[in-house]
Amino acid sequence: MPEFASSDFTTSDTPGQASYIRRFTRVIEYIYAHLDAAPDLNTLAEVAALSPWHWHRIWQAVYGETVAATVKRLRLQRAAADLVQTDRPLDEIWPRAGYGSLAAFSRSFKDAYGLPPAEYRKAGSHTRFTMPSSPKGVSAMRDVAIKTLAPATLAVIPHQGSYMQIGRAFETLFGTLAARNLLRPGLCMKGVFYSDPTSVPEAELQSAAGIVVPDDSFPVDAPLQRASLRGGDYAILRHKGPYSDMRAAYDWLYGDWLVRSGREAADAPVLEDYLNNPREVAPTELLTDICLPLK
């Protein structure tokens, strides 16, 4: 289990900043807990304890999208994960995503993911890691670069539970940074995954959403916690496509590349380095570096 150094933190937020961080966090938790329900702005205003006349404008100004857009994005992301990672039938997936018909869901899903749902299940970007490689695996081996990363300090929001739900921690991280006026160009968003999902129950998985602390003047105050990024060699696989497709990439990296590479995994967590923003690009254009620590 990861250990975070938090005992020496002192919160330097103004009362107003601390209040908005708590309000944003409550709304995020509510949205994730009620993802199957239609978002009701008045209810969310009550959760945020803000004026129903103004709270949504505040949310949109901070997060860069409406609550409806947030819910739609998260529902489609969950539907993509259902298609790739489960055998759940399509006639159960589209109502859960909040659509009134399969046709409406298919149009929306294709707009976001490039393929209709049934075709995506059979031929989405995840399949490139399950297709046979060349006899000697030469082309597949070129997909991985070995780089030496410098040690770094991270400011993180811990997360426990399904790795597909780590977005909840990232939303809290983003809202916290926005409330403190700490968002700036070039901040490096990273996911840190401490548990092995093949041996640890999903509810007990430990991970964290974080950013690299850019300099000593950057405040790491609660709810942010300080964590260390191990320096050393990493095998880096660049993944292009939806986050829901990444399980196949991990299986290929561990089960194919690593066993043929002559290298061994180090006793350190795997990292994900997010190179663009799911609010700004389509899921098919997301770029993520999966970073496997090596001895």
Side-chain angles (χ1 to χ4, degrees):
M1 180 178 296
E3 295 183 359
F4 300 101
S6 59
S7 60
D8 57 343
F9 292 157
T10 57
T11 303
S12 59
D13 298 329
T14 66
Q17 287 174 320
S19 173
Y20 275 103
I21 291 169
R22 290 193 298 270
R23 294 165 196 264
F24 292 152
T25 300
R26 288 200 301 268
V27 173
I28 291 162
E29 294 292 336
Y30 186 91
I31 288 173
Y32 271 84
H34 299 83
L35 197 55
D36 291 332
D40 180 80
L41 297 185
N42 287 330
T43 299
L44 293 176
E46 292 178 10
V47 172
L50 289 170
S51 164
W53 295 97
H54 303 294
W55 90 269
H56 189 241
R57 187 171 185 177
I58 299 168
W59 172 277
Q60 188 170 355
V62 170
Y63 284 95
E65 63 182 1
T66 65
V67 165
T70 299
V71 171
K72 178 182 178 181
R73 173 170 57 82
L74 294 176
R75 285 176 172 174
L76 285 177
Q77 180 178 301
R78 183 177 65 179
D82 284 343
L83 290 166
V84 172
Q85 300 177 13
T86 77
D87 295 324
R88 188 187 293 268
L90 192 55
D91 60 5
E92 290 182 11
I93 293 175
W94 65 261
R96 204 162 84 105
Y99 289 84
S101 68
L102 174 59
F105 170 67
S106 296
R107 286 193 298 271
S108 188
F109 190 91
K110 184 178 179 181
D111 287 344
Y113 285 80
L115 293 171
E119 188 175 347
Y120 178 80
R121 171 170 265 171
K122 293 187 293 185
S125 57
H126 59 285
T127 59
R128 73 187 181 97
F129 293 100
T130 57
M131 298 292 287
S133 59
S134 61
K136 294 184 179 180
V138 174
S139 61
M141 292 292 281
R142 289 177 180 167
D143 289 338
V144 174
I146 297 178
K147 298 181 180 180
T148 301
L149 302 184
T153 298
L154 305 180
V156 305
I157 298 289
H159 172 70
Q160 179 172 324
S162 168
Y163 284 164
M164 283 302 296
Q165 296 288 312
I166 195 175
R168 183 182 311 185
F170 274 106
E171 300 289 351
T172 300
L173 173 67
F174 190 88
T176 300
L177 296 176
R180 293 174 175 170
N181 297 316
L182 292 175
L183 289 176
R184 60 184 73 173
L187 284 180
C188 185
M189 295 279 183
K190 292 186 181 291
V192 188
F193 300 89
Y194 297 95
S195 305
D196 177 359
T198 66
S199 60
V200 176
E202 183 175 76
E204 299 174 15
L205 294 173
Q206 300 286 332
S207 57
I211 60 164
V212 175
V213 174
D215 53 58
D216 292 340
S217 65
F218 191 92
V220 183
D221 300 325
L224 300 178
Q225 300 183 20
R226 192 179 300 270
S228 296
L229 173 63
R230 166 196 179 272
D233 284 354
Y234 284 79
I236 299 178
L237 170 63
R238 179 155 297 179
H239 178 271
K240 182 179 181 181
Y243 298 139
S244 56
D245 288 1
M246 290 175 62
R247 178 180 293 183
Y250 273 95
D251 289 344
W252 178 85
L253 183 61
Y254 278 94
D256 192 341
W257 181 85
L258 185 62
V259 298
R260 292 186 291 108
S261 68
R263 301 296 296 263
E264 292 184 43
D267 186 18
V270 68
L271 312 172
E272 290 178 2
D273 192 358
Y274 306 104
L275 307 180
N276 50 14
N277 189 331
R279 294 182 181 85
E280 298 173 355
V281 302
T284 52
E285 298 302 313
L286 290 170
L287 293 175
T288 308
D289 280 349
I290 301 171
C291 306
L292 173 64
L294 301 173
K295 290 184 178 178

